[in-house]
Amino acid sequence: MAAPMNSRCISCYNYSLSHVINSAKVLRSSSRLVSDAASSRKDAVIGSTDDKDSKGFRRYQMKKFGDIPMERKGSRFTAMVKPIAPRYTKMPVNQDWTNVWPTAQTFKWSVVPLPLKQGYLKNKMEAAGDGLPPQKRGNTELIKIPNFLHLTPKHIEKHCKAIKKFCTEWPSELDTVKDMDYHFPLEVITEDYCFSSPSVRDPRARTVTFKFKASDLEMDSHARDKWQKLLKSRDDKVTLKADRCPLRKQNYDYLQYLLTALYFESWKVEPWEAEMTQEDMLDYSWDLSHSKTNVVNIINKYREKDQTIEDPTKRRLPYVSDDVSPDTVTSLEPVKEYKQSVEELNMTGENITTINNYKESVLKLLNVQTKSNNSS
Amino acid sequence: MKRSIISYRSYCQLLRLWSSKSARVGSSSVCCVKDNIVTSLPACFQLTVPPGRSYCTSTENVDEEEDVIEDDIDDVGPTIPVFQHRTNLPAKFRTQHDDPTKFSLEDVGLYYKVSPEDYKKYIQSGQWPGYKKQVKTFTEATVMVRQPALEVLDIIENANYDYPPLRLFFYGKVGTGKSMSLSHVVQHCGHQGMLTIHIPDFNELIRHRTSGVRPHAPSEYTDGLIDYTDDALNWLQYFKLQNEELLKKLNIKTTKEYVWSARDSTPVGSDILDLLSFGLERKKYSSDCIGAMFREIKKAANEKRVKVLVAIDGVNGLWKNTTIKDSEKKIINAQKVSTIQHFHKLFEHNWSNGICVGTLCPSVEAINNTMYENKMDVPYTPQYLLKKEGFDYMDPFVPIIVSEYNFKEAHNCIDYYIERKWIQSPRSLTESGKKEIMMLANMNPLQLMTISGRF
């Protein structure tokens, strides 16, 4: 453990030494006056002759950024060297960012002119004084995360400009998404890969994907139900993906076959499907439910009672005429309303609206009389 | 429990600040007199009451409140003598009369007094323990007239009884007053001369008893069914309490010979009260007696001799599991219990001249259910509580929601508690104090009843 530590220290030392010497040279060549180091102070900077006022007094000048105060002349540590200012401080405001950050690269704190903070403080003592997460300078947390500084709108604009010469004009008939979906209901997705290697083949290129909407296919309620069961999905958007065959053409053909088979299979009605009950259905259907039998029973009972009453105005269910048979009971208007409310109750769930709708429809179905009804 | 009270207290302090400010903004000032002053003041002293609120409450001792007598005296309004302050005041939270059959929509939110006999007969069983305690403390039983009960009574009064019975179900959150509304309906119908078949608390039939297993025996009449012995007997007693006078008047005779055993039998043409007393004497046959009695009652109803009200508190319990087990140690469903089956069959469409009312109780659903820690969490919607089986059986029914108190009802309730000195703390006698209680209780009748005890 000790050895690398030492070597690291030495290298640091070497680096700093050479750096100091270099900067000292620069200082000497660039300064306009030969400095009188003995009389100069640490914080006072020697001014030029122009800096004297009319009476010959030297003007006091504030220390500038990057100025190196002299110290201990003759020693190895001739000056306290400050690091060169980071690049972002010298950037003009109206620069072209795409030139600064042309491609994807890891974060460089000295290049990005944004006051970023990232990281976690274990306690408040770690904060720089503001109590906030560490700033960007030397912040490894910012290096770890991906950045999208190479994908600004300016970048995209440049990319588009570059590839525009390869594009053809968009057909004016396909202006809206609706038009596109109407004219091209089936979307076939394949991917090409190009790279330099001994073989130009890529196994991923054989994959074919079909995307379409099930609602674009012509199906009745039974076929749609079976389609959903075959796909095990109730989603309208369907994605079929095949990579089982070695060639793309084969995969494409297979998907076409699959789509055709699925479609015609869902239209088929097998003899065992007649035995299906409400529980086997994906959606609630009132016609199969117990609720329907209940209603048919009760309306028949009411009707039998009604038929014994001579005066049609005194009958309980005025909407039921004499010739209504148990089979045609469901075509009556209040029954239809009731059916809708029960379906709503089952499909959208129970809430105050659906329950109230159900209540209203039951009151209408059984023609329940109340005081307000009678008075009106 | 203690901890929650403490949190109430601290929260109360915050709320008091809030409500005292909001009360001032609303400027609904309350006139007020301190209790001990009332007696010392001369009788001629008149006190103004703002229209709308008739009950006088005190604020003088409360530092935060600024409503004092002097502020309100100059106002023009109806005047009430101060000496009437406590009990003689014809306060607005009581109905004009106490006849349960004659309430209209104008009486909604007002309390009516129930006579002790009626309380014992119709209201008492099945209510929350807190309510029973209050009745004992207040030395009177009162029930608030509420809109859902009137809605059901409206349907019951105007129904056509030539047809199979309608099914009307109350539903609503825990503690909103479903059972109380049902009791009101039962009391109304009892006064109207209807035969009432009332299960006041279905919880009691299916829940576990700490004293031991619910007494039961295999059914004598049908194989594979179980009879509740004690519960059937208790219910027969309750039925007798409610309907004995009416049955004596009706004089219903049995139409079939019921052979209970080699020795015991009820011959054709015996009175239905004999059947009832046989069931009360012989616990073994109590459950079968219920079935036989219902059969006779249905027949009498079909002949239009009597109107029948079936009222079951917690209808969704008809399909719940009970706590008793069969010989194979399997829990028995309520459908396998003949005592419950008899009530179940009353909801069928094969008879007329009756009406079926019930409540859908989340608290019944919460029994033996590990899904919910608290019965307040159970959803209260009808289809959820009835489940598929129950919904298929009961459909089509009329669901009637029992919601929380509205502002007027809550105000009347608190005024009533103040009148009965149930609420005594000086700060809660003010308008802002009332608001505070309402907010803490979230207008829920049960919560209001519980919380008001702390003020």
Side-chain angles (χ1 to χ4, degrees):
Chain A
M1 197 63 199
M5 279 282 277
N6 284 340
S7 66
R8 192 173 152 211
C9 289
I10 290 161
S11 68
C12 285
Y13 167 77
N14 284 344
Y15 167 75
S16 59
L17 186 66
S18 61
H19 191 65
V20 166
I21 292 165
N22 283 343
S23 36
K25 275 179 192 166
V26 171
L27 181 75
R28 277 186 202 131
S29 60
S30 63
S31 60
R32 273 172 279 172
L33 253 182
V34 178
S35 60
D36 189 5
S39 63
S40 71
R41 288 181 62 179
K42 188 181 169 187
D43 54 347
V45 177
I46 308 147
S48 65
T49 45
D50 298 339
D51 294 329
K52 288 180 178 176
D53 68 1
S54 57
K55 289 178 183 175
F57 285 107
R58 278 185 287 127
R59 282 204 181 90
Y60 182 77
Q61 284 182 331
M62 296 295 285
K63 198 171 74 176
K64 282 177 191 168
F65 191 82
D67 278 354
I68 301 155
M70 303 295 288
E71 202 177 73
R72 279 215 258 166
K73 201 188 171 188
S75 141
R76 284 186 298 179
F77 304 99
T78 39
M80 284 278 283
V81 183
K82 283 212 166 185
I84 302 166
R87 193 177 148 198
Y88 73 85
T89 55
K90 292 163 192 163
M91 285 177 178
V93 180
N94 55 351
Q95 69 173 339
D96 188 358
W97 175 249
T98 54
N99 292 336
V100 181
W101 201 277
T103 54
Q105 53 187 314
T106 45
F107 186 81
K108 288 189 187 67
W109 67 271
S110 60
V111 177
V112 181
L114 302 170
L116 299 175
K117 289 171 187 297
Q118 177 85 21
Y120 168 70
L121 294 177
K122 263 193 175 174
N123 50 45
K124 281 195 175 174
M125 297 295 284
E126 287 186 4
D130 51 2
L132 293 168
Q135 295 183 346
K136 65 179 175 177
R137 188 179 179 278
N139 191 337
T140 48
E141 293 303 319
L142 281 166
I143 296 170
K144 288 178 196 170
I145 56 170
N147 68 65
F148 293 92
L149 294 166
H150 61 290
L151 287 174
T152 61
K154 265 271 162 61
H155 282 100
I156 307 286
E157 208 179 307
K158 271 194 171 179
H159 295 165
C160 291
K161 223 175 194 175
I163 60 170
K164 198 170 185 184
K165 58 188 172 216
F166 302 116
C167 302
T168 54
E169 202 180 321
W170 185 259
S172 60
E173 290 82 5
L174 299 179
D175 270 349
T176 62
V177 181
K178 210 176 171 186
D179 288 334
M180 287 182 235
D181 285 349
Y182 179 74
H183 291 289
F184 297 98
L186 179 66
E187 192 182 347
V188 182
I189 300 164
T190 55
E191 280 165 4
D192 295 315
Y193 295 86
C194 67
F195 52 94
S196 61
S197 77
S199 164
V200 292
R201 315 266 173 240
D202 190 295
R204 289 172 292 176
R206 72 176 195 278
T207 316
V208 183
T209 312
F210 276 18
K211 278 187 180 175
F212 57 94
K213 284 181 183 169
S215 53
D216 289 336
L217 298 169
E218 194 185 330
M219 288 189 281
D220 65 356
S221 59
H222 162 264
R224 200 163 294 285
D225 193 64
K226 203 164 175 187
W227 169 271
Q228 288 176 353
K229 276 177 186 163
L230 285 170
L231 288 182
K232 289 179 183 169
S233 156
R234 304 180 68 167
D235 206 346
D236 187 34
K237 286 177 185 169
V238 182
T239 307
L240 301 176
K241 197 172 180 182
D243 60 351
R244 53 173 59 189
C245 305
L247 291 182
R248 176 187 291 174
K249 174 75 169 57
Q250 291 167 336
N251 278 320
Y252 177 81
D253 287 347
Y254 168 68
L255 277 188
Q256 279 209 327
Y257 155 75
L258 185 66
L259 178 55
T260 318
L262 276 172
Y263 178 70
F264 285 104
E265 198 59 37
S266 46
W267 269 102
K268 269 186 201 167
V269 182
E270 304 289 348
W272 45 260
E273 283 180 45
E275 296 162 17
M276 286 216 294
T277 54
Q278 178 64 58
E279 283 75 22
D280 301 318
M281 291 295 173
L282 290 175
D283 289 340
Y284 179 85
S285 94
W286 186 76
D287 292 314
L288 284 171
S289 71
H290 203 279
S291 178
K292 187 188 172 181
T293 16
N294 280 349
V295 168
V296 171
N297 281 344
I298 193 168
I299 286 196
N300 275 327
K301 265 187 186 152
Y302 276 38
R303 195 171 55 88
E304 281 164 22
K305 183 76 194 168
D306 275 342
Q307 279 167 352
T308 60
I309 301 169
E310 296 280 309
D311 185 8
T313 53
K314 281 183 182 176
R315 287 181 182 177
R316 178 70 178 270
L317 304 179
Y319 59 85
V320 182
S321 56
D322 287 346
D323 56 335
V324 168
S325 69
D327 302 328
T328 56
V329 147
T330 47
S331 63
L332 297 164
E333 197 54 41
V335 180
K336 269 185 194 168
E337 221 170 276
Y338 170 79
K339 172 189 171 178
Q340 201 188 343
S341 72
V342 176
E343 277 180 348
E344 207 184 344
L345 199 67
N346 281 284
M347 299 292 280
T348 62
E350 286 185 296
N351 54 45
I352 198 72
T353 327
T354 50
I355 294 173
N356 277 347
N357 283 346
Y358 174 74
K359 181 185 166 186
E360 291 302 319
S361 67
V362 171
L363 289 177
K364 215 173 267 181
L365 179 81
L366 303 180
N367 194 15
V368 177
Q369 297 295 319
T370 56
K371 211 180 212 170
S372 49
N373 269 356
N374 290 341
S375 61
S376 64
Chain B
M1 190 63 196
K2 224 171 193 180
R3 203 173 162 189
S4 67
I5 295 164
I6 292 163
S7 66
Y8 273 149
R9 285 292 182 212
S10 57
Y11 189 43
C12 282
Q13 285 161 2
L14 273 175
L15 273 175
R16 216 181 311 143
L17 277 174
W18 166 81
S19 58
S20 65
K21 274 173 192 164
S22 68
R24 264 168 229 163
V25 172
S27 77
S28 53
S29 56
V30 180
C31 55
C32 18
V33 169
K34 205 185 164 195
D35 284 2
N36 47 17
I37 299 175
V38 174
T39 46
S40 61
L41 281 170
C44 59
F45 186 76
Q46 300 281 304
L47 184 70
T48 45
V49 178
R53 296 257 44 85
S54 61
Y55 198 71
C56 310
T57 48
S58 159
T59 59
E60 195 152 285
N61 242 3
V62 187
D63 297 333
E64 301 141 32
E65 304 300 329
E66 292 165 4
D67 307 328
V68 278
I69 314 162
E70 287 80 21
D71 294 347
D72 295 318
I73 284 173
D74 299 330
D75 291 350
V76 184
T79 55
I80 293 166
V82 167
F83 60 80
Q84 287 187 347
H85 171 233
R86 183 60 60 192
T87 48
N88 299 333
L89 191 78
K92 267 200 173 177
F93 53 82
R94 284 183 190 276
T95 49
Q96 297 289 324
H97 58 87
D98 290 332
D99 188 353
T101 57
K102 286 175 188 166
F103 291 126
S104 65
L105 279 176
E106 290 162 10
D107 299 319
V108 168
L110 304 181
Y111 280 93
Y112 74 92
K113 213 170 175 176
V114 181
S115 66
E117 302 84 56
D118 270 18
Y119 175 67
K120 220 175 179 184
K121 250 176 152 179
Y122 302 111
I123 313 281
Q124 187 185 25
S125 16
Q127 303 306 339
W128 290 93
Y131 177 76
K132 292 177 192 168
K133 270 184 207 167
Q134 278 191 352
V135 170
K136 209 175 172 186
T137 319
F138 297 169
T139 64
E140 65 168 14
T142 50
V143 175
M144 188 187 276
V145 182
R146 296 197 67 197
Q147 195 267 335
L150 290 186
E151 196 180 337
V152 166
L153 290 177
D154 185 15
I155 294 175
I156 288 178
E157 277 171 14
N158 296 293
N160 191 338
Y161 286 93
D162 297 338
Y163 294 84
L166 280 174
R167 296 140 171 179
L168 316 167
F169 294 146
F170 291 111
Y171 71 100
K173 287 176 189 166
V174 173
T176 43
K178 300 178 290 297
S179 304
M180 191 57 92
S181 297
L182 188 74
S183 296
H184 182 184
V185 170
V186 174
Q187 195 203 1
H188 171 102
C189 294
H191 277 256
Q192 292 283 35
M194 285 170 84
L195 192 81
T196 51
I197 296 172
H198 182 202
I199 294 187
D201 192 1
F202 210 97
N203 275 348
E204 202 49 52
L205 290 181
I206 53 172
R207 79 167 152 222
H208 183 70
R209 294 205 314 190
T210 44
S211 56
V213 184
R214 194 164 286 284
H216 63 279
S219 173
E220 293 285 318
Y221 190 72
T222 322
D223 287 340
L225 290 188
I226 304 284
D227 283 350
Y228 276 155
T229 47
D230 283 18
D231 290 310
L233 185 78
N234 291 343
W235 187 81
L236 279 177
Q237 276 168 352
Y238 184 67
F239 179 76
K240 195 181 176 187
L241 176 74
Q242 281 192 344
N243 298 301
E244 195 177 10
E245 290 170 28
L246 183 69
L247 287 174
K248 270 177 192 167
K249 261 187 241 167
L250 287 170
N251 201 17
I252 300 171
K253 303 289 180 201
T254 51
T255 54
K256 183 187 164 188
E257 189 187 8
Y258 296 98
V259 181
W260 307 110
S261 64
R263 289 179 188 175
D264 299 315
S265 69
T266 311
V268 183
S270 55
D271 198 287
I272 197 168
L273 277 170
D274 296 342
L275 199 64
L276 185 61
S277 54
F278 177 77
L280 287 170
E281 282 162 15
R282 304 292 301 274
K283 204 199 272 181
K284 194 180 171 187
Y285 303 112
S286 294
S287 186
D288 292 336
C289 246
I290 293 177
M293 226 169 50
F294 285 174
R295 191 173 166 278
E296 298 302 333
I297 289 170
K298 271 185 185 178
K299 271 197 173 166
N302 277 333
E303 292 162 9
K304 302 210 179 294
R305 291 173 65 188
V306 63
K307 277 185 195 172
V308 181
L309 172 83
V310 180
I312 294 184
D313 187 27
V315 167
N316 46 326
L318 289 172
W319 291 272
K320 285 279 291 183
N321 276 346
T322 59
T323 43
I324 54 173
K325 291 176 182 175
D326 61 5
S327 55
E328 291 167 6
K329 305 257 173 173
K330 273 185 179 174
I331 291 175
I332 291 170
N333 192 274
Q335 293 287 302
K336 287 274 176 71
V337 180
S338 66
T339 320
I340 296 172
Q341 269 297 300
H342 297 319
F343 293 95
H344 185 258
K345 281 178 188 167
L346 288 174
F347 286 88
E348 280 172 2
H349 280 307
N350 55 8
W351 61 296
S352 62
N353 213 12
I355 200 148
C356 300
V357 189
T359 64
L360 301 166
C361 289
S363 45
V364 172
E365 176 65 26
I367 292 173
N368 310 333
N369 197 338
T370 47
M371 258 171 79
Y372 305 103
E373 287 182 7
N374 188 351
K375 59 185 158 197
M376 301 296 254
D377 303 339
V378 184
Y380 60 93
T381 48
Q383 204 187 9
Y384 175 81
L385 291 176
L386 282 170
K387 303 277 179 298
K388 193 186 175 301
E389 209 181 353
F391 188 81
D392 284 348
Y393 185 80
M394 289 300 183
D395 180 68
F397 62 90
V398 184
I400 286 149
I401 189 162
V402 183
S403 45
E404 281 102 345
Y405 281 151
N406 59 25
F407 195 72
K408 183 190 166 193
E409 287 169 336
H411 234 297
N412 285 344
C413 180
I414 293 170
D415 277 352
Y416 175 66
Y417 287 156
I418 290 169
E419 191 224 34
R420 291 281 117 190
K421 294 194 179 176
W422 182 253
I423 293 177
Q424 286 185 341
S425 132
R427 72 156 193 276
S428 56
L429 304 185
T430 60
E431 189 66 27
S432 58
K434 288 176 188 176
K435 269 190 178 176
E436 182 183 322
I437 298 172
M438 280 179 220
M439 168 135 182
L440 284 173
N442 196 20
M443 301 286 218
N444 185 307
L446 174 66
Q447 295 294 329
L448 192 61
M449 191 171 80
T450 325
I451 286 170
S452 62
R454 320 239 177 263
F455 283 85

